[in-house]
Amino acid sequence: AQAVVLSGGEERLTLALARARSPRADLLVFDPESLDGSVYEAVMSGQPTPVGATCRLCAHFDCAWRREPAAVSQ
C-alpha cells in the first residue's frame, strides 16, 4: 500500500500485488474518500509519493527516478 500524489495534485492510495513466478501484477487505485473507516485510512495520513502516468507526462520535475525527459513544460 502506498499513498501517492498525481501530477495534477490528486491524492490516491495504490495497492499492488505481484504474482509468484509471473511478470504480471495487480494494481488497485482508491480515492481517499472511499477509505474512511478502512484499515488503509492510516496509510493516507503519511507523506504521499509524487507519481506521474509516465516519465514523459509527469510534471514532478525534481523526481530522482525519472528515466526520460518530460514532454510537459514547467
Side-chain angles (χ1 to χ4, degrees), residues 4-8 16-17 23 29-30 34 37 39 41 44 46 48-49 51-52 54 62 66 68:
V4 299
V5 61
L6 304 174
S7 296
L17 177 66
V29 181
F30 299 93
S34 66
V39 296
E41 188 175 19
M44 290 302 294
T49 301
V51 299
T54 68
D62 59 347
R66 184 173 293 282
E68 57 186 341

Side-chain angles (χ1 to χ4, degrees), residues 31-53:
D31 59 67
E33 293 80 29
S34 66
L35 301 173
D36 292 342
S38 76
V39 296
Y40 298 108
E41 188 175 19
V43 175
M44 290 302 294
S45 65
Q47 183 68 24
T49 301
V51 299

